[in-house]
Amino acid sequence: MRSQTWNQIVHRRARNTLVFAVWTAAKFVWSILQGWSERARQRRTLALLSDHSLRDIGLSRMEVNFESRRPFWRE
């Protein structure tokens, strides 16, 4: 087996670090997108509830309209 030079070792470590950083950033972006998707789904579902169901959970139609019109990226 051939021994590696110091430059090869440093280059491989830098490449691995870059791959890890990109992977971590991709996972972070994916989790944000999943959160936005889930929030949008919940707001659509809330908007479809009947007045009777809303009374059961203690919400008014006005509160639901306000919440369901909020942008998906806002909590």
Side-chain angles (χ1 to χ4, degrees):
M1 183 177 238
R2 200 174 98 192
S3 66
Q4 297 177 344
T5 66
W6 178 253
N7 285 339
Q8 289 171 327
I9 294 169
V10 169
H11 179 69
R12 185 175 353 101
R13 180 169 282 178
R15 186 178 60 228
N16 290 344
T17 302
L18 178 62
V19 168
F20 178 75
V22 169
W23 176 251
T24 302
K27 287 190 329 185
F28 178 72
V29 169
W30 182 254
S31 69
I32 289 174
L33 293 174
Q34 283 182 316
W36 285 353
S37 176
E38 178 62 19
R39 193 174 302 134
R41 186 196 63 76
Q42 289 175 0
R43 288 178 179 166
R44 282 190 308 270
T45 302
L46 185 63
L48 295 174
L49 291 176
S50 68
D51 289 336
H52 178 75
S53 296
L54 292 177
R55 277 194 306 274
D56 283 348
I57 61 174
L59 293 174
S60 69
R61 179 58 61 187
M62 187 173 76
E63 290 170 316
V64 170
N65 287 339
F66 177 79
E67 183 63 30
S68 64
R69 289 187 176 129
R70 291 176 64 190
F72 62 87
W73 60 86
R74 294 223 175 126
E75 289 190 35

